[in-house]
Amino acid sequence: MNKLLIANWKMNPDSAAEAVRLARAEDLNGVVVAPPFIFLERVKKVLRRAQLAGQDVFLSEPRAATGEISPYMLKQVGVGYVIVGHSERRRLVGETDELISKKVQAALKAGLKVVLCVGELKRDLRSKIYDLRKAKNFVKKQLIKDLKGLNLKSYGLSLIIAYEPVWAIGTGTPDNPASAAEMIKYIKKILNLRYHGLNPRVLYGGSVTAKNAAGFLRRPEIDGALVGGASLKAGEFKKIWTVSN
Ligand code: PGA
C-alpha cells in the first residue's frame, strides 16, 4: 500500500519565492505539503501531483475571531488536509484537548481530511519496547479527549492520526521503528474497538530523515510519515519519498 508523506514546513521558509521552489521540488505523488497559511495560494498554483494541507485551522463559528482562519476558507484555496493538535501548538499556543476536539469536528464537517497529532511528552529511553505502557495510556487518553463528541460513523474515513512522540520532534532522536510500530498498532486497536471498526491511517512523526525513513516506512503498521525539519531540504525529502514508494 502506498504510504502518505506529509511535509510540515512549520514557520518556514522566509519568502514566497523559496516556498514555491520547495513546493515544486516536493510535488510528488502521495505527498501532502503543509506550508504556512500565507503561502498556501502560491504553493497551490505550482502543485500538480501533491496535495495541500493547512498546519492548523480554527472553528467555523464564531465569525468574530480575529486572526483565525476557518475550515471553509482553507477549502476555498484548495486545501484538502489539515493538521490539528500538533504538539507545538499545544505547547507554544496553549491549545487544549477541548479546543482540539472542536477543531477536529469543524474541519471534518467542512469536508477536510484531518491529521490529528498525538504523542506522549516523555519516555524513559532506557525502557524496552514491551514497557510502553505509560506512553500508551497517555496516548489513549489524548485520543479519547481529542475525538470527544465526534460522529466517526460519518467522518471516520477522513481521519488520519499522526503518532508523534513529543520527545522525538525536532530533537534528532527518533523513536525506534519497532516501538513506533507497536504504538501505532495499539492506536489502531483502541480506535477500532472504541469506535466500531474505525480503521484510520496512522503515520509516524518525529525526527524522520532520509537515513532512518526506511526503518519506519517498511513497517506494515506505519502508513506514512509526518516530516518536519527534513521536509525543508528538497533533496532529503525526495530520498524519503523514494523509500516510501
Ligand atoms: P521533525 O518534526 O521531523 O522536525 O521532528 C516533525 C513534526 O513536528 O511534525
Side-chain angles (χ1 to χ4, degrees), residues 8 10 86 88 164 168-170 206-208 226-229:
N8 178 13
K10 309 191 181 189
H86 192 282
E88 283 150 15
E164 296 206 300
I169 297 178
S207 296
V208 172
L226 182 48
V227 185

Side-chain angles (χ1 to χ4, degrees), residues 4-24:
L4 182 66
L5 271 194
I6 304 183
N8 178 13
W9 294 354
K10 309 191 181 189
M11 202 166 71
N12 301 284
D14 284 336
S15 72
E18 179 59 13
V20 164
R21 193 193 63 77
L22 201 53
R24 283 210 172 98

